[in-house]
Amino acid sequence: MNILAPSILAADFWRLGEQVREVEKAGVQYLHIDVMDGCFVPSISFGMPIIRSIRKETELFLDVHLMIEQPRRYIEAIAGLGADMINFHLEAAEDAAEVIELIRSFGKKAGITIKPETSVDALLPYLDKVDMVLVMTVEPGAGGQKLIPGCLEKVKELRNVMYKRGLRFDIEVDGGVNIDNLEQVLEAGANVIVAGSAIFKNDIAVNAKLFLDKMQQELGVNNGTI
Ligand code: DX5
Ligand code: ZN
Protein backbone atom coordinates (compact mmCIF):
# COMPACT_ATOMS: atom_id res chain seq x y z
CA MET A 1 0.00 0.00 0.00
CA ASN A 2 1.18 3.54 -0.73
CA ILE A 3 1.09 5.80 2.30
CA LEU A 4 1.42 9.57 2.59
CA ALA A 5 3.16 10.94 5.68
CA PRO A 6 3.01 14.76 5.85
CA SER A 7 5.91 16.18 7.87
CA ILE A 8 4.72 18.74 10.40
CA LEU A 9 8.16 20.37 10.34
CA ALA A 10 6.75 22.49 7.51
CA ALA A 11 3.53 23.35 9.36
CA ASP A 12 2.70 26.75 10.80
CA PHE A 13 3.16 26.04 14.51
CA TRP A 14 0.81 28.81 15.47
CA ARG A 15 -1.94 26.77 13.82
CA LEU A 16 -0.55 23.25 14.26
CA GLY A 17 -3.75 21.59 15.50
CA GLU A 18 -5.79 23.12 12.73
CA GLN A 19 -3.29 22.00 10.08
CA VAL A 20 -3.11 18.45 11.44
CA ARG A 21 -6.91 18.33 11.18
CA GLU A 22 -6.65 19.44 7.56
CA VAL A 23 -4.34 16.61 6.50
CA GLU A 24 -6.43 14.20 8.54
CA LYS A 25 -9.59 15.30 6.75
CA ALA A 26 -7.85 14.98 3.39
CA GLY A 27 -7.44 11.28 4.18
CA VAL A 28 -3.72 10.90 4.90
CA GLN A 29 -2.74 7.90 6.97
CA TYR A 30 0.48 8.91 8.74
CA LEU A 31 1.87 12.02 10.38
CA HIS A 32 5.66 12.36 10.17
CA ILE A 33 7.23 13.96 13.24
CA ASP A 34 10.86 15.15 12.99
CA VAL A 35 12.69 15.33 16.31
CA MET A 36 16.12 17.06 16.10
CA ASP A 37 18.61 17.41 18.92
CA GLY A 38 21.04 20.07 17.67
CA CYS A 39 23.87 17.46 17.77
CA PHE A 40 23.14 14.77 15.20
CA VAL A 41 21.86 17.59 13.02
CA PRO A 42 22.62 21.28 13.58
CA SER A 43 19.03 22.33 14.11
CA ILE A 44 16.65 21.79 17.02
CA SER A 45 13.02 21.18 16.12
CA PHE A 46 10.66 20.03 18.88
CA GLY A 47 10.21 17.10 21.20
CA MET A 48 8.01 15.44 23.76
CA PRO A 49 5.35 18.06 24.49
CA ILE A 50 4.44 18.37 20.83
CA ILE A 51 4.09 14.59 20.39
CA ARG A 52 1.99 14.40 23.56
CA SER A 53 -0.38 17.14 22.39
CA ILE A 54 -0.80 15.62 18.94
CA ARG A 55 -1.41 12.12 20.33
CA LYS A 56 -4.20 13.42 22.59
CA GLU A 57 -6.13 14.77 19.61
CA THR A 58 -5.61 12.43 16.67
CA GLU A 59 -5.83 8.78 15.73
CA LEU A 60 -3.36 9.26 12.84
CA PHE A 61 -0.43 6.84 12.79
CA LEU A 62 2.46 8.78 14.33
CA ASP A 63 5.70 8.15 12.45
CA VAL A 64 8.46 9.66 14.58
CA HIS A 65 11.81 10.35 12.89
CA LEU A 66 14.51 10.74 15.52
CA MET A 67 17.46 12.82 14.35
CA ILE A 68 19.28 12.47 17.64
CA GLU A 69 22.56 11.02 18.91
CA GLN A 70 22.35 7.75 20.85
CA PRO A 71 18.65 7.27 20.20
CA ARG A 72 18.32 4.47 22.76
CA ARG A 73 18.19 7.14 25.48
CA TYR A 74 14.80 8.36 24.26
CA ILE A 75 12.99 5.26 22.97
CA GLU A 76 11.06 4.60 26.19
CA ALA A 77 9.90 8.20 26.51
CA ILE A 78 8.84 8.52 22.86
CA ALA A 79 7.05 5.17 22.98
CA GLY A 80 5.28 6.24 26.16
CA LEU A 81 3.96 9.34 24.44
CA GLY A 82 2.11 7.20 21.91
CA ALA A 83 4.33 7.09 18.82
CA ASP A 84 3.30 4.23 16.55
CA MET A 85 6.57 3.95 14.64
CA ILE A 86 10.00 5.06 15.79
CA ASN A 87 12.71 5.67 13.16
CA PHE A 88 16.25 6.17 14.34
CA HIS A 89 19.43 6.85 12.35
CA LEU A 90 21.84 3.98 11.82
CA GLU A 91 24.66 6.55 11.94
CA ALA A 92 23.61 7.76 15.40
CA ALA A 93 23.19 4.41 17.14
CA GLU A 94 25.95 2.59 19.02
CA ASP A 95 24.11 -0.71 18.64
CA ALA A 96 21.33 -0.59 16.06
CA ALA A 97 20.08 -4.13 16.78
CA GLU A 98 19.63 -3.20 20.42
CA VAL A 99 17.67 -0.07 19.52
CA ILE A 100 15.36 -2.07 17.24
CA GLU A 101 14.74 -4.58 20.01
CA LEU A 102 14.05 -1.81 22.48
CA ILE A 103 11.49 -0.17 20.18
CA ARG A 104 9.80 -3.54 19.67
CA SER A 105 9.77 -4.24 23.41
CA PHE A 106 7.36 -1.31 23.81
CA GLY A 107 5.07 -2.74 21.13
CA LYS A 108 6.05 -0.12 18.54
CA LYS A 109 7.05 -0.49 14.93
CA ALA A 110 10.77 -0.06 14.33
CA GLY A 111 12.31 1.88 11.47
CA ILE A 112 15.96 2.35 10.58
CA THR A 113 17.07 5.45 8.69
CA ILE A 114 20.07 6.24 6.51
CA LYS A 115 21.54 9.57 5.44
CA PRO A 116 22.39 10.19 1.76
CA GLU A 117 26.01 9.06 2.07
CA THR A 118 25.25 5.81 3.91
CA SER A 119 25.10 2.71 1.72
CA VAL A 120 22.42 0.03 1.58
CA ASP A 121 25.15 -2.46 2.53
CA ALA A 122 25.33 -0.92 5.98
CA LEU A 123 21.68 -1.86 6.49
CA LEU A 124 22.03 -5.52 5.54
CA PRO A 125 22.36 -6.95 9.08
CA TYR A 126 19.12 -5.26 10.16
CA LEU A 127 16.72 -5.75 7.27
CA ASP A 128 15.11 -8.86 8.73
CA LYS A 129 14.44 -7.05 12.00
CA VAL A 130 12.72 -3.81 10.95
CA ASP A 131 9.24 -2.77 9.85
CA MET A 132 10.51 0.09 7.73
CA VAL A 133 13.64 1.54 6.18
CA LEU A 134 13.70 5.31 5.80
CA VAL A 135 15.95 6.49 2.98
CA MET A 136 16.79 10.18 3.33
CA THR A 137 16.82 11.95 -0.02
CA VAL A 138 18.26 15.16 1.47
CA GLU A 139 20.76 15.78 4.27
CA PRO A 140 18.66 15.48 7.42
CA GLY A 141 18.17 18.65 9.42
CA ALA A 142 15.95 20.95 7.39
CA GLY A 143 12.85 20.99 5.25
CA GLY A 144 12.55 22.65 1.86
CA GLN A 145 15.69 21.16 0.25
CA LYS A 146 16.01 19.60 -3.20
CA LEU A 147 15.80 15.83 -3.56
CA ILE A 148 19.17 14.18 -4.35
CA PRO A 149 18.35 11.90 -7.32
CA GLY A 150 21.22 9.47 -6.56
CA CYS A 151 19.45 8.45 -3.35
CA LEU A 152 16.65 6.91 -5.40
CA GLU A 153 19.18 4.36 -6.69
CA LYS A 154 19.47 3.17 -3.10
CA VAL A 155 15.70 2.77 -2.94
CA LYS A 156 15.83 0.52 -6.01
CA GLU A 157 18.72 -1.45 -4.57
CA LEU A 158 16.87 -1.89 -1.29
CA ARG A 159 13.73 -3.14 -2.98
CA ASN A 160 15.81 -5.69 -4.93
CA VAL A 161 17.47 -6.92 -1.75
CA MET A 162 14.04 -7.19 -0.13
CA TYR A 163 12.68 -9.36 -2.95
CA LYS A 164 15.82 -11.48 -3.20
CA ARG A 165 15.83 -12.24 0.50
CA GLY A 166 12.06 -12.69 0.68
CA LEU A 167 11.73 -9.94 3.30
CA ARG A 168 8.89 -7.53 3.87
CA PHE A 169 9.33 -4.00 5.13
CA ASP A 170 8.11 -0.59 4.08
CA ILE A 171 10.44 1.76 2.25
CA GLU A 172 9.99 5.39 3.20
CA VAL A 173 11.52 8.33 1.36
CA ASP A 174 12.03 11.67 3.10
CA GLY A 175 13.27 14.97 1.69
CA GLY A 176 12.43 17.13 -1.27
CA VAL A 177 9.49 15.10 -2.53
CA ASN A 178 7.00 17.17 -4.50
CA ILE A 179 4.15 16.52 -6.90
CA ASP A 180 6.53 16.64 -9.89
CA ASN A 181 9.02 14.02 -8.69
CA LEU A 182 6.51 11.85 -6.80
CA GLU A 183 6.11 9.41 -9.68
CA GLN A 184 9.87 8.89 -9.91
CA VAL A 185 10.04 8.23 -6.15
CA LEU A 186 7.23 5.67 -6.30
CA GLU A 187 8.73 4.01 -9.35
CA ALA A 188 12.05 3.64 -7.54
CA GLY A 189 10.14 1.49 -5.06
CA ALA A 190 9.21 3.69 -2.10
CA ASN A 191 5.76 3.11 -0.63
CA VAL A 192 5.75 5.55 2.30
CA ILE A 193 6.16 9.12 1.16
CA VAL A 194 7.14 11.97 3.47
CA ALA A 195 6.36 15.47 2.26
CA GLY A 196 6.73 18.64 4.28
CA SER A 197 6.75 21.84 2.26
CA ALA A 198 4.89 20.24 -0.64
CA ILE A 199 1.93 19.61 1.68
CA PHE A 200 1.95 22.49 4.17
CA LYS A 201 2.79 25.38 1.83
CA ASN A 202 -0.28 27.07 0.28
CA ASP A 203 -3.49 25.02 0.24
CA ILE A 204 -3.02 21.91 2.40
CA ALA A 205 -6.22 20.16 1.33
CA VAL A 206 -5.47 20.65 -2.38
CA ASN A 207 -1.85 19.50 -1.98
CA ALA A 208 -2.79 16.41 -0.01
CA LYS A 209 -5.46 15.44 -2.53
CA LEU A 210 -3.04 15.78 -5.45
CA PHE A 211 -0.54 13.55 -3.69
CA LEU A 212 -3.12 10.96 -2.65
CA ASP A 213 -4.66 10.78 -6.13
CA LYS A 214 -1.28 10.30 -7.78
CA MET A 215 -0.27 7.67 -5.26
CA GLN A 216 -3.48 5.80 -5.95
CA GLN A 217 -2.88 5.91 -9.72
CA GLU A 218 0.66 4.64 -9.31
CA LEU A 219 -0.65 1.76 -7.27
CA GLY A 220 -2.82 0.83 -10.24
CA VAL A 221 0.19 1.01 -12.54
CA ASN A 222 2.23 -1.17 -10.20
CA ASN A 223 -0.66 -3.61 -10.03
CA GLY A 224 -0.85 -3.30 -6.28
CA THR A 225 2.45 -5.02 -5.71
CA ILE A 226 3.94 -2.21 -3.67
C1 DX5 B 1 14.43 16.71 7.14
C2 DX5 B 1 13.21 16.04 7.67
C3 DX5 B 1 12.09 15.94 6.71
C4 DX5 B 1 11.54 17.27 6.25
C5 DX5 B 1 11.04 17.09 4.83
O1 DX5 B 1 15.48 16.51 7.98
O2 DX5 B 1 13.51 14.71 8.06
O3 DX5 B 1 11.05 15.12 7.21
O4 DX5 B 1 10.51 17.75 7.03
O5 DX5 B 1 10.69 18.32 4.33
P1 DX5 B 1 10.52 18.61 2.78
O6 DX5 B 1 9.45 17.67 2.30
O7 DX5 B 1 10.15 20.03 2.73
O8 DX5 B 1 11.84 18.30 2.13
ZN1 ZN C 1 11.84 13.29 8.52
Side-chain angles (χ1 to χ4, degrees), residues 7-10 32 34 36 41 65 67 136 138-145 174-177 194-198:
S7 165
I8 59 162
L9 191 63
H32 185 82
D34 290 303
M36 302 178 188
V41 292
H65 175 193
M67 281 163 273
M136 290 303 300
V138 297
E139 272 312 316
Q145 305 178 69
D174 182 7
V177 181
V194 177
S197 3

Side-chain angles (χ1 to χ4, degrees), residues 206-220:
V206 170
N207 295 337
K209 187 169 175 354
L210 281 173
F211 264 75
L212 289 169
D213 285 351
K214 198 154 208 177
M215 289 168 71
Q216 201 55 38
Q217 280 166 24
E218 274 306 302
L219 200 56

Side-chain angles (χ1 to χ4, degrees), residues 12-81:
D12 174 356
F13 280 79
W14 179 251
R15 302 193 295 136
L16 182 60
E18 203 183 296
Q19 299 200 335
V20 170
R21 281 282 176 261
E22 269 194 82
V23 291
E24 197 174 37
K25 263 199 233 139
V28 312
Q29 304 96 327
Y30 284 22
L31 204 60
H32 185 82
I33 301 183
D34 290 303
V35 179
M36 302 178 188
D37 66 351
C39 291
F40 181 69
V41 292
S43 187
I44 298 173
S45 56
F46 47 74
M48 280 80 157
I50 293 278
I51 302 176
R52 185 181 297 114
S53 298
I54 294 175
R55 178 73 298 164
K56 265 202 307 206
E57 298 296 334
T58 182
E59 298 284 307
L60 283 172
F61 183 97
L62 301 186
D63 166 31
V64 175
H65 175 193
L66 295 180
M67 281 163 273
I68 63 176
E69 288 293 350
Q70 296 177 32
R72 75 177 308 288
R73 298 173 299 152
Y74 287 99
I75 302 300
E76 183 169 6
I78 302 283
L81 292 171

